[in-house]
Amino acid sequence: MTAIIERCEAKGLRMTGQRRVVAQVIGASKDHPHVEELYARASKIDPKISLATVYRTVKTFEAEGILEKLEFGDGRARYEDAERAHHDHLIDVESGQVIEFSDPDLEALQVKIAARLGYELIGHRLELLAIPIKQR
Amino acid sequence: MTAIIERCEAKGLRMTGQRRVVAQVIGASKDHPHVEELYARASKIDPKISLATVYRTVKTFEAEGILEKLEFGDGRARYEDAERAHHDHLIDVESGQVIEFSDPDLEALQVKIAARLGYELIGHRLELLAIPIKQR
DNA sequence: TTAAATGCAAAGGTTTTGCTCTGAC
DNA sequence: GTCAGAGCAAAACCTTTGCATTTAA
């Protein structure tokens, strides 16, 4: 598990103060903040950072494969560390809580399905929508 | 497989001319048109229909469970018949082509995973991103 | 030094909304 | 006849962009 900043340097990205802040904020996030939220968190570290820079930074990082873009259906993009992104999401539709999981059988099955259709799998997006099982 | 219009009536929705047109257009679509495209197709049938009405209609239909909202990551919502939506999508990232598939094992596995996390599955969204296997 | 990145504000694209008028029931 | 729905244009969102200024390498 390499830090985001290290991967940026390895890719030869110019490491500005703002990019370090965005990298740090995403690295420290255990949830799935959208861009405005990243901006809010980044602003606490660097009050001068602009929203446009946050947008440009996540886009650059995504293009380099350092971050992954998620869409949960609310019209706002969310980003997460691509190294941490090797999992899927279960969305609790009652509370909005997002639970991460990963399942090797599921991964394997997806590869198999793609192959059956004549394709090589290079990625996937999966969200399970669910409600908590009530205990009694 | 019931027609969209019939399901609207069964839900007690007021069936205006515009809603019939939108229902007809979606029912006849075998691809995954976004709203602007639905509007274009609907306009051929009813040149007076407005974009706002198309937006309001798909939103209403979605709220009734008649349509399902899809997001393929381009920032535009797409809608498809919920009865036909019992499948997933494989996106050919080279051509942008979207292939529909469904796999009972996959469905079963998802139910199992949700249960393991303490949830009851009520829906899912899955997109496989893939490239064609080159033949020689 | 110098090309690349930032900040700001303005523009872009998609989706929603206020208000008046129309039409389905 | 009524009230939900339609049309229009304006507004609201999220995101991108042009340009002058700053900064990493």
Side-chain angles (χ1 to χ4, degrees):
Chain A
M1 184 67 119
T2 323
I4 293 174
I5 292 180
E6 288 171 35
R7 275 174 280 148
C8 291
E9 288 167 347
K11 297 272 184 185
L13 291 182
R14 180 186 287 200
M15 290 316 288
T16 64
Q18 293 87 337
R19 286 182 175 180
R20 284 176 205 282
V21 169
V22 172
Q24 177 188 336
V25 164
I26 295 177
S29 297
K30 289 175 178 162
D31 50 353
H32 304 85
H34 49 256
V35 182
E36 193 82 34
E37 178 61 29
L38 288 176
Y39 171 58
R41 295 180 193 180
S43 295
K44 289 184 184 169
I45 302 172
D46 172 7
K48 294 279 180 59
I49 201 169
S50 76
L51 181 57
T53 294
V54 178
Y55 269 106
R56 279 190 276 233
T57 301
V58 292
K59 203 171 192 186
T60 299
F61 288 3
E62 187 201 0
E64 293 291 342
I66 293 166
L67 297 183
E68 231 171 70
K69 188 181 186 177
L70 306 173
E71 286 178 38
F72 288 167
D74 64 352
R76 295 184 285 192
R78 292 154 192 276
Y79 290 85
E80 85 181 351
D81 188 335
E83 283 203 350
R84 192 174 303 173
H86 221 85
H87 59 245
D88 299 303
H89 298 96
L90 181 147
I91 300 169
D92 181 334
V93 298
E94 284 186 3
S95 69
Q97 189 193 356
V98 178
I99 294 173
E100 300 182 351
F101 69 89
S102 82
D103 187 292
D105 292 346
L106 189 65
E107 310 270 326
L109 188 50
Q110 290 173 357
V111 171
K112 216 169 85 181
I113 291 169
R116 188 191 303 152
L117 296 169
Y119 282 84
E120 181 189 339
L121 192 68
I122 60 172
H124 73 267
R125 290 190 287 259
L126 170 65
E127 286 114 46
L128 300 183
L129 309 174
I131 54 177
I133 295 172
K134 308 288 193 267
Q135 311 290 346
R136 54 166 141 175
Chain B
M1 186 66 119
T2 323
I4 294 174
I5 292 180
E6 288 171 37
R7 274 175 281 149
C8 290
E9 289 167 345
K11 296 272 185 183
L13 290 182
R14 182 186 286 200
M15 289 318 287
T16 64
Q18 294 87 338
R19 286 182 176 181
R20 282 176 208 283
V21 169
V22 172
Q24 178 188 338
V25 164
I26 294 177
S29 296
K30 288 173 179 165
D31 50 353
H32 304 85
H34 48 255
V35 181
E36 193 83 33
E37 178 61 29
L38 288 175
Y39 171 58
R41 295 181 193 178
S43 295
K44 289 184 184 167
I45 302 171
D46 173 7
K48 296 278 182 61
I49 201 170
S50 76
L51 181 58
T53 294
V54 178
Y55 269 106
R56 279 192 274 234
T57 301
V58 291
K59 203 170 191 188
T60 300
F61 287 3
E62 187 202 1
E64 292 292 342
I66 293 166
L67 298 182
E68 232 170 68
K69 187 181 187 178
L70 307 173
E71 284 178 39
F72 288 166
D74 65 351
R76 295 185 284 193
R78 293 154 191 275
Y79 289 86
E80 87 182 350
D81 187 333
E83 282 205 352
R84 192 174 301 172
H86 223 84
H87 59 244
D88 298 304
H89 298 95
L90 182 147
I91 300 170
D92 181 336
V93 297
E94 283 185 4
S95 69
Q97 190 193 353
V98 177
I99 294 173
E100 299 182 351
F101 69 88
S102 80
D103 187 289
D105 292 345
L106 190 64
E107 310 269 326
L109 189 49
Q110 290 172 357
V111 171
K112 217 170 85 182
I113 291 168
R116 190 191 303 153
L117 297 169
Y119 283 85
E120 181 189 337
L121 192 68
I122 59 170
H124 73 267
R125 291 189 288 260
L126 171 64
E127 286 112 47
L128 299 183
L129 308 173
I131 54 176
I133 294 172
K134 310 286 195 265
Q135 310 289 344
R136 53 164 142 177

